[in-house]
């Protein structure tokens, strides 16, 4: 280090100042003042943080697009850059986290920290286990009844508020006597029921909801109380997981695919009340038994190591933002800007979802001028750097997914484009 320091620019300047041809003291003093001022400017520039708008502009310039995909979805650029920096040599191990043993000390530390940070974010009580699983949330459509129902004759209640809760109900029918306690199908999945309108069976083993329907843009703002004897509420939280605080103690099971808000595809997170673990049906495959994973700290077999690692980085990022209460405020602000633009368009843009249950994560809308103009809208938006705005193939239209990692600048750019498009295509 000493040799390197001897050849720095500042040391060379000092060496020159010490030669016999040194200028008069007044010149040296003036030169020193100029150097000090320059050093101060450099120091200030090094520590000054860019404004949020400048940071967003820099991110857009680097990435080239704002990604409104419903999932896999945009991730924080800071997380991607950190993963990039650590990819080849993870924490000085000489290995990538993608190639090291899942039973080695490095990955053991990574998965434990990911769980600890998730517990901190959601205030997960000790009564609940955190499991890192595979197979997507869709696999939990089977795992939940297999673990919570004694057999195929045990009843279970489902609130069917959109495509995903409908799929969960249909899968559960294979392993339980599942029934629909309420359905929004007749209303094209644009509303949620008053909780007293949910026809619960007191003998049901659990009440299942989807907290946010990714396709239809319907989100629970509060949660129904289960009236079954066991008091078990189950929620698929895939598309609003870690977007706001949740009282985990109210739930028997929470499960979520990570690829919306907290990571890449490949890992599913389940938070399960511990007293519900260990009574799976005899036919339950070993990989669908919650006990298998709880007993082995999510390491029964090789887990999706890289996906879990990325989730851990996202959890760190969310904590650094001030936790989920702060994240919720940002999400509500972004969603408000977009919905206000839709509602102020004079019917040019239409969001069919009841205002009281509009999702803060997935905003579906159509154009009154019809599908051809929707295609034009999506194509022109893509040319302007706003991609993946096409609605789900089952419903069409436009859908803007504005998860945690979507910056405010992305939503602001979208609404500016919406206003411009309307002005150009009256």
């Amino acid at each position: 280090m000493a040799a390197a320091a001897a050849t720095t620019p500042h040391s060379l300047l000092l060496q020159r100042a010490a030669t016999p041809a040194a200028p008069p003291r007044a010149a040296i003093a003036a030169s020193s003042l100029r150097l000090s001022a320059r050093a101060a400017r450099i120091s200030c520039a090094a520590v000054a943080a860019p404004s949020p708008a400048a940071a967003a502009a820099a991110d857009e310039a680097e990435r080239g697009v704002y990604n409104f995909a419903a999932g896999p979805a945009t991730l924080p650029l800071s997380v991607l850059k950190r993963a990039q920096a650590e990819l080849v040599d993870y924490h000085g191990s000489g290995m990538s986290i993608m190639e090291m043993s899942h039973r080695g000390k490095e990955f053991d530390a990574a998965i434990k920290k990911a769980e600890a940070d998730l517990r901190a974010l959601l205030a997960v009580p000790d009564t609940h286990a955190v499991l890192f699983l595979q197979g997507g949330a869709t696999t939990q459509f089977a795992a939940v009844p297999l673990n919570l129902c004694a057999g195929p004759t045990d009843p279970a209640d489902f609130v069917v508020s959109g495509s995903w809760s409908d799929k969960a109900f249909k899968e559960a029918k294979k392993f339980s006597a599942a029934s629909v306690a309420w359905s929004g199908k007749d209303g094209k999945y644009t509303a949620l029921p008053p909780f007293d309108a949910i026809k619960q069976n007191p003998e049901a083993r659990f009440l299942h909801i989807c907290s946010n329907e990714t396709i239809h843009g319907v989100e629970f703002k509060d949660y129904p109380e289960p009236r079954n004897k066991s008091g078990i509420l189950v929620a698929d939280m895939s598309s609003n997981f870690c977007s706001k605080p949740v009282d985990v103690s109210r739930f028997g099971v929470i499960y979520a695919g990570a690829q919306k808000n907290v990571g890449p595809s490949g890992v599913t997170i389940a938070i399960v009340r511990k007293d519900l673990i260990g009574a799976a049906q005899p036919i339950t495959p070993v990989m669908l038994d919650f006990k298998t994973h709880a007993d082995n700290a999510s390491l029964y077999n090789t887990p999706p190591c890289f996906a879990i690692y990325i989730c851990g980085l996202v959890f760190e990022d969310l904590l650094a933002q001030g936790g989920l209460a702060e994240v919720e405020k940002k999400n509500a602000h972004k969603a408000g800007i977009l919905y206000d633009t839709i509602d102020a368009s004079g019917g040019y843009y239409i969001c069919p979802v009841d205002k009281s249950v509009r999702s803060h994560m997935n905003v579906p809308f159509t154009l009154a001028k019809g599908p051809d103009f929707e295609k034009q809208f999506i194509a022109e938006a893509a040319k302007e750097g706003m991609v993946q705005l096409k609605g789900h193939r089952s419903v069409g239209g436009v859908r803007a997914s504005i998860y945690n990692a979507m910056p405010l600048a992305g939503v602001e750019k979208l609404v500016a484009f919406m206003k411009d498009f309307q002005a150009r295509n009256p």
Side-chain angles (χ1 to χ4, degrees), residues 141-194:
F141 297 168
V144 167
L146 283 168
N147 280 272
L148 302 187
C149 295
T153 60
D154 265 9
D157 286 338
F158 282 75
V159 174
V160 178
S161 54
S163 293
W164 292 110
S165 48
D166 184 51
K167 290 181 178 181
F169 160 67
K170 289 174 179 175
E171 184 73 359
K173 287 177 68 177
K174 301 174 184 177
F175 310 106
S176 69
S179 61
V180 176
W182 182 88
S183 174
K185 186 175 182 179
D186 290 344
K188 297 184 179 179
Y189 299 128
T190 57
L192 289 173

Side-chain angles (χ1 to χ4, degrees), residues 259-284:
Q259 69 275 10
K260 316 289 188 181
N261 256 328
V262 298
S265 59
V267 61
T268 304
I269 297 169
I271 303 174
V272 186
R273 213 170 72 198
K274 291 178 181 177
D275 65 310
L276 301 178
I277 297 172
Q281 296 181 35
I283 64 167
T284 304

Side-chain angles (χ1 to χ4, degrees), residues 281-333:
Q281 296 181 35
I283 64 167
T284 304
V286 66
M287 290 300 292
L288 269 62
D289 191 335
F290 292 151
K291 191 174 189 301
T292 299
H293 305 286
D295 287 351
N296 292 278
S298 300
L299 297 172
Y300 175 76
N301 69 334
T302 306
C305 298
F306 188 74
I308 293 170
Y309 156 72
I310 295 292
C311 287
L313 298 187
V314 172
F315 297 151
E316 284 187 33
D317 178 73
L318 295 174
L319 287 169
Q321 291 184 49
L324 297 187
E326 289 302 313
V327 170
E328 181 182 26
K329 292 177 186 176
K330 295 176 184 178
N331 288 331
H333 181 54

Side-chain angles (χ1 to χ4, degrees), residues 161-163 188-189 213-218 353 362 364 394-395 399:
S161 54
S163 293
K188 297 184 179 179
Y189 299 128
E213 288 283 357
T214 317
I215 294 173
H216 296 92
V218 177
V353 180
N362 310 100
S394 65
V395 296
R399 174 176 55 176

